[in-house]
Every structure is written in C-alpha cells, then in structure tokens.
Amino acid sequence: MFRKRYSNLSVVTRVLNDEHDDRTAPFRNRKGRGGHKGRPFDRSRRDRQRGSHTGVFGGPGPRSRLDNADGDVTMSDSSQDSSSQNRFNPYSRNFRKGDGRFDRDRRQGKGAGGGRGGGFRGDRGGLSVKARSGWYKVTIPHGRKYDKKWLVQALQNICSVPYNPVQYHVDHSRVQFYVDDHDAANALLKCSHKITDSDGYKVEVHVNPCSPPSFLVSDLKPEHLEYLKQCMAKRFDGSQQALDLNNIRTDPDLVSQNIEVILNRKTSMEAVIKIIEENIPELTCLNLSNNRIQKLDELAELVSKVPNLKTLNLSHNELKTDRELDKVKGLKLVELWLNRNPLCALFKDQAAYISAVRQRFPRLLKLDGQDLPPPIGFDVETPTAIPPCKGSCFGSDEIKVLILHFLQQYYSIYDSGNRQPLLDAYHDGASLSITTPYTTQNPSRSSLGEYYKDSRNLKRIKDTTMRFRLLKHTRLNVVAFLNELPKTQHDIASFTIDVNTYTNTLLSFTVSGVFKEVVVDGKSRESTMAFSRVFITVPAGNSGLCIVNDQLFIRMATTEEIRRAFVAPAPTPSSSPVPTLTAPQQEMLTAFSQESGMNLEWSQKCLQDNEWDFNRAAQIFTQLKAEGKIPDVAFIK
C-alpha cells in the first residue's frame, strides 16, 4: 500500500449547523446593539411560516434530497396544500424559479389527474384512483432522448397488459402519451425503474388520470369539416400544387357559417393536415402565414404525409424560438418564410439567423424571399449500409503476439484481488486519465457513478486546474488510483485490438471490450459495461512493454454487447497453469495442445469440459474455431 501525500493541500473543515440561518428574521437580539424589544422568537411559528427542510415544491433541503434518491416530486393533494408554506430554497435542484410549468399544470388540473387523486409513481404501488374519463396520461421524464420505437417496445416487453400509446408526443424534455384502459395504465406504472437505458439510468414512468386528449374534443363538427374542405379546395392552385391558407380564420366562406378555423389550435391544425393528406398529398407549396401559430408540433406530421413539400410560408406568426423548427426539420425545404415572427429578433445578425435556419434545412436556397448561397454538403439520396465491424488489426504477427501476451498478463492481474503488481507495467513518469460519457442527468443514479467523479470529460470539465488534477501522474499514483476502482472481470474473448502507431521505440494500440464489476463475495453485478482503452507503450526488457500513457473510457454496454458478453468460456486465473493430473491425462493434454495449437491452460479447459473425451473435445474445438468463438489468447504459448 502506498501513502498519498498532498504537500500543498490545506483542508479546511467547516461545521455546518443543522439549523437555518436566522439573519433574515425580522427581529434579532444582536450582541452590543441593545435589548430585544420584539416578541420572543418562536421556532414553531417560523417553521410554520417558512416550512421545514422537507418541503415539496418549495425545494427540499440537502438532507431530504439525499433521503429521496429518485428525486421524484410527490404529486398529491396534501403536497399541493403544503407547498405554499415551504421556505424558498434557491439551492434546491427541484426548485426552478420562473419555470413552474409542472407545478402550474398541476394546480390547474392538467396532466395530474385534473386535481383528483394526484399523481402516481411506479414504486408506490398501483393506481389508487380510477379516472372518471377512462383516460390516463403516461409521462416519461427525460424521454426526449429515447427513440420512440425503442421506448414503446421496451415498455411493451415488460408490461403485463398490452397497450396502445395514443398521441405520443414530446413536451420539452418529457415524452407523453395516453392510454384509455385502467389495467394498462396500472401495468405501465409498475414498469417504472424496470428498464435501464444505454447510459445506465432507470427509465421512470409516471401515470396520472386525466381528461380525454384534446384531439377527441374537437371543436369542428363533421359538417364544419366539409365547409373547411370546400374552402381549402377554393384556395388550392393545382397548376402549382400550392395551397394558400393565409389568414384562413377570416375567410368569408367560413365566417358566414360561423366556423372558426384557428390554426394555433391543435384540433384545427390536425383537421387541415388530415384534409391535405387525404386529398392533396402531392402538395409542394404551403402558405400558413398570418395564423397566430405558436407551436409546430402538429406540422411534424407533414414530414411523412406531405413528402414533396418544398416551400413553406410561416411568416407573420408567433413562433418565439428557432427550436420549434426542429419539429419540421425532416422536410426537404428549398424555400422558407419566417419573417415577422418573434424568433427573428433573437439573432445578433443576419448571418447567425441564416446559419440557425440552414442547420435545420441544409438544402434551403431562399429564406424570407432572399436568395441564399448554394449549400455545401453531400447529397446522399439512396440509403447506405454501414459496413460490418472488422476484427482486430495488428499490422504483423510479431506485434500481435507481443500485444496479446501483454494484455493477458495485464488483465489477469487487473481482475485479481490485488492490482499492486501492475507497478511493473507502468513507466516511472506514466500518466492515466479516465472518461465517462457526458450527461446532464444525475450521475449518482447511473452504474457509472463510481467512475463519474474521476471523469476527465473535457465537455464537462472546463477549468484547466481541475483538468490537470484529474490526471494521474507517476506510476505510484496511477496504480494507487487503479486499486481504488471497483473490482472487475473482463471478457477477454470480447477484446478488439487496433494498433495505431508502431515504431522501433513506441507502440500505441487501442483495446475495446466489455467487463462487469465483482463484489467481495465474488458474485457479478447485473450491469455490464463497455470500455475502450488506449495504451501508449515503449519497449521494456527483451520482449516486454512499458506503459507511458493510459487513457480509459467507460460506458454502459449496448443490448447487443450484453447479449454476446461472457459467452465463450474464460480461463480461471491460477498460479500454476497445469494442476496435478494423472499420467494419462497429462499425456492427453500435451497431445491435444500440440494438435489444436492452443496453450496448455485452454487445452485443459476444453478437455475438462468434455470429460476428458479426446475425440469429443477435438470435435467441439473444430466447431468453435470455425465459428470464430475461440479468442486469440488461447493460442499464446
């Protein structure tokens, strides 16, 4: 063991009182400033007025945040009543001043069961209230980052009741959809925290009774839809495949029938898109100017329903941010009008405006009636298949033997109970850094939490001093740090090795694969992780390598990597490669090793697995070798 020395580090310990700072109290008895003339201070009165540490929407104190690892908000009538009494805590992660959409919707009865029964989380039992309307809103926090097909299928795989997601949509960072079956809603609720995403986070599922979705409460009657269809037919130019819906709410034909078609309403816009889909799907030009449009959620349907749309006019509307354009960026537009929208004032100059718009529509040639310079890019119309993944690349057999022998020695020590012998593998001035994927979520809830605190991800760490401190310098510090990491078991058969640089004095290579953590009792954890490690080495001794730089990247394994992990049998590390065997077994082992080309350890493993039946072991070996399931390390002697 090595003692860490921090010669320049001074540790200042502050003892924080559990009580709040009372400097904001209206009366204080300050020493040397006269007697206190107000009424005596009453702690219970202060707590009633300001709330305690365990507030709900007023922001939990540090202790309550630690107690509730999920960080979920309790949505119940009791919490609503008490939320106004809680003390404002500006340092609470759950309190966001100026962004009270969730709380506001809850007070107004939106998305939380209309104020009846509150909200429900998957780890608190089943739904206690049956919705009067028969409808339930399912919310996936941070669901925007997930692919819709993956998320719906992942939930269906573990949901005990088949369900049909109605009106699947993204609301800020959340994903929401509706179900109209109580049993399905209850089953979905129980799926919370049962699915792990690629970053190691548990997928939360919140279910709330709600009113019927807005599209079911249409303000356009069937006879109104017929008038709207006639009005749109009048405004359609078949020669240009253009539809002009400019200021449609004031159209005389609709006004005379007392029909309101307001396109900033979801039902009106959906009715218009449905008529376009059923009658003029070959539309190439659409004018939606002067319609007070604020959101483009419904227009996202145009991507699949009107694939030939080239010109879109959204001028003189109320679009407040260019992020709304992300919802329709799948359109292959060549002309777009956005002038006289609030979003146009957000850019410092015309160049920034054009850049932001063209980022969504790279083929755009005209913006607000002004010609743009031709786009620069690759126009690939036909889908291209990603080439299959290649195996390891060594450059020569000599380098292959050298690296495989090095890795077999390195990871046999790394996966043992003591990593101290790795001191011999590192140069005196070696450096090491560890990196995990950048994420905005709480890393403590991920399986990567143990590695996140030492992660030197440059997207997260901006301070140059901190970047330097996170580098481990000298072999003593490097190995001491490696000893602090969780115990592991690597799947050597999963390793892929690529040589980056090779000279007479330097060898740089990357090794990638999967591993799982091992607890003290020897049992593996459920989570499987993937890694990619860059070793920069120099020659050591006659035929060895010495590490001068070690860069380790760790992430959660993909579903395919997990499926293929630890399939091939791994040799059990032992101090003696060949335990005591009978004379016939020793003779059989030597013969099998010579004929198969495998080393004694893997040859013995193959014979033992086949109960020392030479012919059957040879048959299994031939089959596995043909399938490519025997790792290269089995042939290192």
Side-chain angles (χ1 to χ4, degrees), residues 22 25-38 41:
D22 295 328
F27 301 100
R28 296 183 63 199
N29 186 8
R30 300 188 178 182
K31 184 175 181 181
R33 297 195 180 185
H36 174 57
K37 298 182 180 181
F41 179 73

Side-chain angles (χ1 to χ4, degrees), residues 220 224-238 242-245 248 251 253-254 261 263 268-280 283 286 288:
L220 291 176
H224 293 170
L225 293 176
E226 187 60 33
Y227 279 110
L228 175 58
K229 182 177 178 180
Q230 294 174 9
C231 176
M232 292 173 61
K234 178 189 67 174
R235 290 168 168 254
F236 176 66
D237 182 357
L243 178 61
D244 182 8
L245 299 182
I248 191 174
D251 188 281
D253 292 348
L254 298 177
V261 178
L263 293 187
S268 295
M269 182 64 82
E270 288 179 341
V272 167
I273 293 176
K274 185 176 181 180
I275 292 174
I276 294 175
E277 178 191 14
E278 294 177 350
N279 297 275
I280 46 175
L283 188 70
L286 178 60
L288 295 173

Side-chain angles (χ1 to χ4, degrees), residues 574-593:
S574 60
S575 57
S576 174
V578 184
T580 303
L581 301 174
T582 63
Q585 288 176 336
Q586 185 68 53
E587 184 179 351
M588 185 185 300
L589 175 60
T590 304
F592 192 88
S593 176

Side-chain angles (χ1 to χ4, degrees), residues 128-283:
S128 58
V129 177
K130 193 168 184 178
R132 294 183 179 181
S133 65
W135 285 92
Y136 300 85
K137 177 186 285 188
V138 181
T139 302
I140 313 293
H142 307 291
R144 180 173 186 168
K145 67 178 182 178
Y146 303 130
D147 176 70
K148 174 182 176 180
K149 183 177 180 181
W150 175 86
L151 181 59
V152 172
Q153 187 60 46
L155 288 172
Q156 188 64 80
N157 288 342
I158 64 172
C159 186
S160 59
V161 178
Y163 74 97
N164 178 35
V166 177
Q167 200 180 24
Y168 183 103
H169 64 282
V170 176
D171 179 19
H172 297 91
S173 63
R174 303 182 292 263
V175 157
Q176 295 178 333
F177 59 85
Y178 300 89
V179 293
D180 60 351
D181 179 66
H182 177 79
D183 293 336
N186 198 44
L188 283 168
L189 181 64
K190 296 178 181 178
C191 295
S192 187
H193 297 88
K194 298 293 180 61
I195 301 172
T196 304
D197 65 15
S198 59
D199 293 328
Y201 292 97
K202 298 293 185 180
V203 177
E204 294 184 32
V205 182
H206 298 179
V207 181
N208 302 282
C210 67
S211 302
S214 57
F215 74 95
L216 296 176
V217 189
S218 176
D219 54 357
L220 291 176
K221 300 177 182 178
E223 57 270 23
H224 293 170
L225 293 176
E226 187 60 33
Y227 279 110
L228 175 58
K229 182 177 178 180
Q230 294 174 9
C231 176
M232 292 173 61
K234 178 189 67 174
R235 290 168 168 254
F236 176 66
D237 182 357
S239 62
Q240 302 291 329
Q241 287 297 316
L243 178 61
D244 182 8
L245 299 182
N246 172 54
N247 202 16
I248 191 174
R249 66 184 180 278
T250 62
D251 188 281
D253 292 348
L254 298 177
V255 173
S256 63
Q257 299 295 327
N258 293 322
I259 300 175
E260 283 189 334
V261 178
I262 303 176
L263 293 187
N264 64 358
R265 292 182 182 174
K266 182 181 180 68
T267 52
S268 295
M269 182 64 82
E270 288 179 341
V272 167
I273 293 176
K274 185 176 181 180
I275 292 174
I276 294 175
E277 178 191 14
E278 294 177 350
N279 297 275
I280 46 175
E282 64 280 3
L283 188 70

